[in-house]
Amino acid sequence: MADPREESEPLLSRTRGASGRDSPAGVPSCHSVQVGPGAVAGRDLCLDQAVVFIEDAIQYRSINHRVDARSLWLYRRYYSSMSQWILSFTIFLILALAFVETPSSLTSTSDVRYRSAPWEPPCGLTEGIEALCLLVFAADVSVKSYLVGWAQFRKNPWLLAYLVVLLVSLVDWIVSLSLVCQEPVRVRRLLRPFFLMQNSSMMKKALKCIRWSLPEMASVGLLLAVHLCLFAMLGMLLFPGGKDDRQDRERLTYFRHLPEALTSLLVLLTTANNPDVMIPAYSKNRLYAIFFIAFTLIGSLFLMNLLTAIIYNQFRGYLMKSLQTSLLRRRLGIRAAYKVLSSVTTEGEAHPKGVGVKPQDILQVLQRVQLDSDRKQAIMEKLHSRSGDLLSADEFQKLFDEFDKRVIKEHPPRPEYRSPFLQSVQFLFGHRYFDYLGNIVALGNLATICVFLVLDADVLPEDRDDFVVGILNCVFILYYLLEMLLKVFALGLQGYLASSSNVFDGLLTVVLLVLEISTLAVYCFPHPGWKPEMRGLLSLWDMTRLVNMLIAFRFLRVIPSMELMAVVASTILDLIKNMRAFGGILAVVYYIFAVIGIILFRGVIVAPGNSSLAPDNGSAPCGSFEQLEYWTNNFDDFAAALVTLWDVMVVNNWQVFLDAFRRYAGPWSKIYFVLWWLVSSVIWVSLFLALILENFLHKWDRRSHLQSLTGDLEATSEVTVELLFRDVLEEPTEEELIEKLSHHPHLQLCR
């Protein structure tokens, strides 16, 4: 229930009338009982509500859900780590079925010339697994519907769509079993990505931003279509054909008719067929180059970059609107927790509502809130440091401002040695210059590997003398081990492990040491003419190659030592952490297009010699699908379809795919590939570029501030998408918060 209401509507809309209160009859509010045995139950309910509201604020969830004791218990169980893990695993499992069910991807190759008959699961195996997944989803939508209430369920398009998708999937599943799994099309396969999308609030935000940006994208797309049509007509007029073979070749190959001309220029827009499309005409007259250069300048350099800029600008604006809603949810959750805690009563006495919250009540709530220990400790320290009995609403909000702060990880203190000699050794090997020395040694090790790779490029593995390489590897690995031990001595074990670069360095050093000891144990110590026979699983050359690859990989340790490179690397790491929403959307698009591709093109690519459409390699035109041996690129199974879509997304030689599937499947196949190019290479790549720019600029602007706070280049800051835009978001007003709380459909507070 990451997104209980469609965010384009008010976050909390009040349901009028008695039916708007979905709380079970007879369940008292937390402040309805002032004296007697029920006071303790009322106090516990208030604390439970505060715990849930604070957890909602942490996760940017809506507080628009039932708040009676039974519902709160179910709510917390639903959002527990185990429940969410089961739901995530179920989503993964139902999506992964596409690799196993017919047509199965369980073959060693997708090449139509060499592919063996795949193992096909018996009817009912994957269907049984799918039924279990659908049962989990049915339970999921049932719990969500109960927690938000019927009135809110009817207004939530995501929950309604969830129910419809489940019903359609169930009907299609029954049809499959009725036809003994021989149905030509499984509609439910197209619907499976919905389960992934509905489980991610951030993915819904990103999808909504894309939908809002479509009008601006369409305007530039229309201009791009006019540009293509205009130059296509000009091309057909400029290259009408004639007695000249070169001009005939230009027209027959690229401008034979309008669809062919549009396709050729669309591919040229991506520069995939440049300069091939220009050469026949250019070889006749150099002035023809003006036509192609003008088209590329206007289309590729101006219109395509303008489209990228519009997508970036519009998406960023709409994303900030969605994140503004998330900020409102966080502030609303904190204010709701304050409201219920301020109404807590004890036996025989009660606070006047709105006066404040007792610190001991906050401590009880914090003990039960699922929050990382660092932030929880910071809030408790702020609570202990203040004076006064009751916290006002503003003080309560400031107490939880730790949620909006970036976590700056500081290194543990270094060990203290009494001996002046040990102190000098600690200073020497704990200094950053010692890191620089290690980087120079690693660079030298990498240089020696490169030298021997060049010298032995033409030597067969069995003829190689690995004596010098073996000696050098032993020396360098011993240095790496000594460096690691000295750093542990200088920084302490906790200080050494606190740095991710040290952990990376130390792990590879241990692996290299184990490999080197194994090599010496099997093949003895290096000596002149060191090329023994193969013993065990790996030959000496294989062991040496593995060691050298790890040494090359270990050279990445230099990244934190170079400021600009460190900023770039941290940007990449943050992108990986925050790519769940954007990567999830790409995965959804890949999944849907792969399934559609299987439906449309399964079996159309046939092995050479089995059809008149598939000529032998010797008779195939140069640069064609057959001559380039692209036989592995097909839609005969799900895994092959994903790889084919990736190859087209890169747009290198994608005109080969357009031509091949036009010949094998028909000219209408171009629509499928052009749509895929628009969605993947244009829209999604532009969104990815927007995220990269924002993340990098954010890192670049904050790097000096972080250094001033920590005095250490390696101090890291945890950055999420919400924190990325936090500085430009507006705080909700007091009146807005009060208004939203007053319209809560399940929480009864004194007005």
Side-chain angles (χ1 to χ4, degrees):
M1 199 176 65
D3 195 9
R5 289 294 311 275
E6 179 68 19
E7 291 178 6
S8 59
E9 302 175 358
L11 186 64
L12 298 171
S13 58
R14 188 176 186 178
T15 305
R16 304 297 180 185
S19 62
R21 299 290 178 182
D22 293 305
S23 299
V27 177
S29 62
C30 67
H31 54 281
S32 60
V33 181
Q34 301 296 326
V35 294
V40 177
R43 173 185 172 83
D44 291 340
L45 178 58
C46 271
L47 295 179
D48 289 340
Q49 290 175 350
V51 168
V52 170
F53 287 149
I54 291 175
E55 290 178 349
D56 288 340
I58 295 172
Q59 300 298 330
Y60 298 98
R61 295 194 296 253
S62 171
I63 64 172
N64 188 24
H65 52 76
R66 297 176 185 265
V67 291
D68 58 278
R70 183 177 60 181
S71 299
L72 290 177
W73 179 88
L74 179 61
Y75 188 86
R76 295 201 75 195
R77 295 304 178 275
Y78 176 80
Y79 280 109
S80 64
S81 300
M82 179 59 68
S83 298
Q84 292 302 303
W85 183 89
I86 292 174
L87 183 59
S88 300
F89 177 77
T90 305
I91 294 173
F92 167 79
L93 186 60
I94 198 170
L95 292 177
L97 286 178
F99 292 97
V100 181
E101 59 190 4
T102 305
S104 174
S105 302
L106 302 179
T107 57
S108 60
T109 178
S110 62
D111 195 317
V112 296
R113 299 170 298 177
Y114 314 121
R115 182 179 55 203
S116 58
W119 174 82
E120 299 292 351
C123 183
L125 177 61
T126 57
E127 287 74 17
I129 298 175
E130 190 173 11
L132 293 177
C133 295
L134 293 178
L135 286 176
V136 174
F137 294 139
D140 180 48
V141 72
S142 300
V143 172
K144 287 181 177 179
S145 304
Y146 168 76
L147 289 175
V148 300
W150 172 245
Q152 304 302 318
F153 173 79
R154 290 179 301 173
K155 300 177 183 179
N156 191 325
W158 280 101
L159 288 179
L160 292 175
Y162 199 175
L163 185 60
V164 171
V165 167
L166 279 176
L167 291 176
V168 174
S169 299
L170 179 61
V171 171
D172 192 60
W173 181 82
I174 295 174
V175 171
S176 294
L177 292 183
S178 302
L179 299 176
V180 199
C181 307
Q182 297 299 320
E183 74 279 15
V185 177
R186 294 188 177 185
V187 178
R188 63 185 184 277
R189 295 183 72 181
L190 290 170
L191 303 178
R192 287 173 185 171
F194 176 84
F195 300 125
L196 176 64
M197 294 179 58
Q198 65 82 28
N199 195 48
S200 171
S201 179
M202 195 64 203
M203 196 180 299
K204 294 175 187 176
K205 290 183 176 69
L207 187 65
K208 186 189 304 180
C209 294
I210 294 173
R211 187 187 67 201
W212 286 342
S213 303
L214 285 178
E216 289 78 10
M217 298 181 195
S219 62
V220 180
L222 181 60
L223 185 60
L224 197 60
V226 171
H227 171 68
L228 281 173
C229 292
L230 177 62
F231 272 83
M233 290 186 291
L234 289 176
M236 295 182 68
L237 293 173
L238 281 175
F239 313 115
K243 297 181 180 180
D244 194 317
D245 292 339
R246 288 168 295 183
Q247 193 163 347
D248 277 342
R249 187 154 60 92
E250 180 72 44
R251 178 173 179 81
L252 292 176
T253 306
Y254 302 108
F255 294 92
R256 181 171 46 190
H257 45 72
L258 186 59
E260 190 70 35
L262 288 172
T263 302
S264 300
L265 292 180
L266 179 63
V267 175
L268 180 60
L269 196 65
T270 64
T271 68
N273 61 350
N274 185 66
D276 298 353
V277 68
M278 181 181 69
I279 291 302
Y282 181 60
S283 62
K284 178 188 177 184
N285 192 320
R286 67 177 71 239
L287 294 179
Y288 281 128
I290 299 175
F291 170 82
F292 297 98
I293 293 174
F295 174 82
T296 305
L297 280 175
I298 298 173
S300 298
L301 299 183
F302 293 151
L303 293 181
M304 291 299 293
N305 288 328
L306 178 62
L307 180 61
T308 300
I310 288 178
I311 293 175
Y312 166 70
N313 184 63
Q314 295 297 324
F315 180 78
R316 185 181 187 275
Y318 292 129
L319 182 62
M320 282 197 295
K321 290 181 181 179
S322 294
L323 296 179
Q324 186 71 50
T325 304
S326 296
L327 179 63
L328 176 61
R329 289 184 171 187
R330 170 163 284 187
R331 296 294 181 259
L332 201 59
I334 297 299
R335 179 53 61 91
Y338 172 80
K339 285 291 186 181
V340 295
L341 286 178
S342 64
S343 63
V344 169
T345 59
T346 58
E347 295 185 11
E349 63 172 325
H351 310 305
K353 187 175 178 181
V355 173
V357 178
K358 286 185 175 181
Q360 56 265 34
D361 293 337
I362 301 177
L363 290 175
Q364 289 186 42
V365 170
L366 284 177
Q367 294 296 333
R368 299 162 59 184
V369 169
Q370 295 181 2
L371 181 65
D372 63 87
S373 58
D374 293 335
R375 283 193 170 94
K376 185 179 291 187
Q377 183 64 30
I379 294 175
M380 288 184 176
E381 290 177 358
K382 290 175 65 175
L383 190 61
H384 290 309
S385 63
R386 67 171 307 278
S387 59
D389 294 333
L390 300 177
L391 275 76
S392 65
D394 291 338
E395 292 174 327
F396 190 82
Q397 176 59 61
K398 291 178 181 179
L399 192 65
F400 289 94
D401 283 344
E402 294 294 328
F403 294 162
D404 297 326
K405 294 182 179 179
R406 295 160 178 85
V407 177
I408 300 177
K409 300 178 182 179
E410 298 181 356
H411 292 296
R414 297 185 177 186
E416 298 181 359
Y417 299 105
R418 296 182 179 180
S419 170
F421 173 75
L422 293 180
Q423 292 177 357
S424 301
V425 173
Q426 181 185 31
F427 174 79
L428 179 64
F429 295 112
H431 200 276
R432 65 177 184 273
Y433 286 159
F434 186 62
D435 286 335
Y436 296 158
L437 176 62
N439 294 338
I440 294 174
V441 173
L443 178 61
N445 193 356
L446 196 64
T448 59
I449 294 174
C450 294
V451 169
F452 282 99
L453 286 176
V454 172
L455 294 177
D456 296 339
D458 299 326
V459 181
L460 296 176
E462 57 269 18
D463 297 331
R464 294 176 184 269
D465 186 353
D466 294 323
F467 167 63
V468 179
V469 176
I471 291 294
L472 290 176
N473 282 346
C474 288
V475 172
F476 281 115
I477 291 174
L478 287 176
Y479 174 82
Y480 298 152
L481 177 63
L482 179 63
E483 179 188 26
M484 179 183 69
L485 296 177
L486 290 174
K487 282 187 176 181
V488 171
F489 168 80
L491 304 176
L493 182 60
Q494 292 184 348
Y496 182 83
L497 297 177
S499 172
S500 57
S501 62
N502 284 340
V503 173
F504 172 80
D505 190 17
L507 180 62
L508 285 181
T509 299
V510 172
V511 174
L512 285 171
L513 182 64
V514 172
L515 282 175
E516 189 65 22
I517 293 175
S518 302
T519 303
L520 297 179
V522 175
Y523 294 103
C524 301
F525 198 78
H527 55 272
W530 194 40
K531 31 184 188 178
E533 297 291 335
M534 178 176 175
R535 302 172 189 169
L537 297 177
L538 297 175
S539 66
L540 176 61
W541 171 236
D542 292 332
M543 299 282 283
T544 304
R545 283 193 304 159
L546 184 57
V547 168
N548 289 340
M549 283 189 290
L550 291 176
I551 289 174
F553 190 55
R554 185 183 179 276
F555 186 69
L556 295 177
R557 55 166 278 167
V558 304
I559 291 178
S561 303
M562 304 176 67
E563 182 177 353
L564 179 58
M565 191 181 296
V567 173
V568 174
S570 62
T571 301
I572 295 175
L573 291 177
D574 282 336
L575 283 174
I576 295 174
K577 296 176 183 177
N578 296 314
M579 277 299 292
R580 290 185 60 185
F582 300 93
I585 291 177
L586 183 64
V588 167
V589 174
Y590 258 96
Y591 200 100
I592 294 175
F593 269 84
V595 173
I596 295 175
I598 292 173
I599 296 173
L600 297 177
F601 306 120
R602 181 187 175 190
V604 300
I605 301 295
V606 295
N610 294 343
S611 170
S612 59
L613 294 176
D616 294 332
N617 185 49
S619 59
C622 182
S624 65
F625 186 90
E626 294 81 10
Q627 189 270 332
L628 294 172
E629 297 187 346
Y630 282 2
W631 301 109
T632 54
N633 292 285
N634 53 67
F635 291 88
D636 290 350
D637 58 69
F638 189 74
L642 292 178
V643 176
T644 302
L645 290 175
W646 171 263
D647 291 338
V648 176
M649 177 181 169
V650 179
V651 299
N652 183 33
N653 270 356
W654 75 300
Q655 73 276 10
V656 175
F657 297 91
L658 291 175
D659 175 68
F661 283 91
R662 175 190 62 81
R663 290 186 284 108
Y664 286 106
W668 53 268
S669 62
K670 293 181 180 179
I671 300 175
Y672 171 85
F673 288 101
V674 171
L675 286 176
W676 170 246
W677 168 74
L678 283 173
V679 172
S680 62
S681 297
V682 177
I683 297 178
W684 189 86
V685 170
S686 298
L687 298 180
F688 186 62
L689 178 62
L691 187 61
I692 289 178
L693 288 175
E694 286 298 327
N695 208 325
F696 178 77
L697 293 176
H698 177 82
K699 282 280 187 180
W700 185 262
D701 292 338
R702 291 188 57 83
R703 73 191 194 284
S704 58
H705 178 62
L706 289 175
Q707 291 176 27
S708 64
L709 290 177
T710 63
D712 193 344
L713 285 173
E714 292 187 0
T716 58
S717 174
E718 179 185 333
V719 178
T720 62
V721 176
E722 288 84 4
L723 291 179
L724 196 62
F725 294 92
R726 179 65 188 87
D727 297 335
V728 296
L729 298 179
E730 296 181 359
E731 285 286 341
T733 62
E734 180 75 13
E735 294 76 13
E736 189 176 6
L737 294 176
I738 297 300
E739 175 67 18
K740 295 295 184 183
L741 277 178
S742 66
H743 288 78
H744 194 291
H746 304 289
L747 183 64
Q748 299 181 10
L749 294 172
C750 296
R751 304 291 185 254

